[in-house]
Amino acid sequence: AQSVAQPEDQVNVAEGNPLTVKCTYSVSGNPYLFWYVQYPNRGLQFLLKYITGDNLVKGSYGFEAEFNKSQTSFHLKKPSALVSDSALYFCAVRLRGSTLGRLYFGRGTQLTVWP
Amino acid sequence: DTGVSQNPRHKITKRGQNVTFRCDPISEHNRLYWYRQTLGQGPEFLTYFQNEAQLEKSRLLSDRFSAERPKGSFSTLEIQRTEQGDSAMYLCASSTPGGGTTDTQYFGPGTRLTVL
């Protein structure tokens, strides 16, 4: 069975500090990896994805994520957090080689950035 | 490109009633997905269309659920004889043309269903 774990339900950081939102996965093979962000009463917005190549992926709004194959992790990072980054963040995986394309999501991590 | 749109945004219904949601994908996106998100959980896959063909259905999609994409453009998701457990946010996503396994799914704002 495919699974995605976001071990922290909540992450709290001060504005200007670096932030990390953790994600680990357990899937067949090497998946494609995604991060999405959700603001209240809104759909999911795509932030970034890892397909292949450089383990550090840069995305929207200054976010980046580091893929670690040996640890099966894909942690989301940002060097300097903003209050406006406060939202719900989801890690997702898609099976490589699958033509069907469904995403498997983690439960989400609520990020709060306080001034 | 106006993004994925979903209607209605909110739906309140009584148990036992039928409801139908609509999703309009990004134009020319040939892949369309439905997900369900309950409070405190990540989205869970329901079904997938490539053009008008429904290629995959989750076990979550019980007999009371049906989805269509008749002309390969918009899609509808119908729930018959709603139950309180159907209360959730229903999300639609579409993905970039060209296929392959690396396309990105772009999500609509969702339809929040409340079953009383």
Side-chain angles (χ1 to χ4, degrees), chain A residues 32 34 36 38 41-44 46 49 51 88 90 94-95 97-103 105-108, chain B residues 9 31 33 35 37 40-43 45 48 55-58 91 100-109 112:
Chain A
Y32 302 113
F34 301 80
Y36 286 84
Q38 187 175 38
N41 299 314
R42 300 280 295 277
L44 278 69
F46 168 73
K49 65 183 178 184
I51 304 299
L88 188 56
F90 290 98
R94 175 176 175 169
L95 300 183
S98 169
T99 57
L100 298 178
R102 73 158 72 179
L103 291 172
F105 284 88
R107 291 183 55 176
Chain B
R9 294 291 308 276
R31 298 181 174 189
Y33 306 80
Y35 293 83
Q37 184 181 17
Q41 301 294 325
F45 172 80
Y48 159 62
L55 297 185
E56 188 181 13
K57 292 197 296 185
S58 162
L91 296 166
T101 55
T102 60
D103 53 349
T104 299
Q105 293 177 32
Y106 294 93
F107 284 79
R112 181 168 296 282

Side-chain angles (χ1 to χ4, degrees), chain A residues 37-82:
Chain A
V37 60
Q38 187 175 38
Y39 296 97
N41 299 314
R42 300 280 295 277
L44 278 69
Q45 294 181 26
F46 168 73
L47 279 180
L48 52 80
K49 65 183 178 184
Y50 173 81
I51 304 299
T52 187
D54 193 348
N55 289 345
L56 188 64
V57 178
K58 294 190 183 297
S60 306
Y61 312 119
F63 284 93
E64 56 190 26
E66 186 170 13
F67 169 62
N68 187 316
K69 184 176 179 179
S70 63
Q71 297 185 2
T72 61
S73 67
F74 189 55
H75 300 332
L76 182 69
K77 301 180 179 184
K78 188 173 183 182
S80 179
L82 299 173

Side-chain angles (χ1 to χ4, degrees), chain B residues 10-55:
Chain B
H10 304 274
K11 179 70 177 179
I12 300 174
T13 191
K14 293 182 179 180
R15 187 178 56 183
Q17 299 295 305
N18 299 343
V19 294
T20 300
F21 310 141
R22 176 177 170 129
C23 170
D24 288 88
I26 294 172
S27 48
E28 298 182 357
H29 277 196
N30 64 338
R31 298 181 174 189
L32 188 147
Y33 306 80
W34 285 98
Y35 293 83
R36 183 175 71 182
Q37 184 181 17
T38 53
L39 196 63
Q41 301 294 325
E44 296 173 290
F45 172 80
L46 291 177
T47 190
Y48 159 62
F49 289 87
Q50 183 162 313
N51 299 311
E52 65 275 11
Q54 188 174 20
L55 297 185

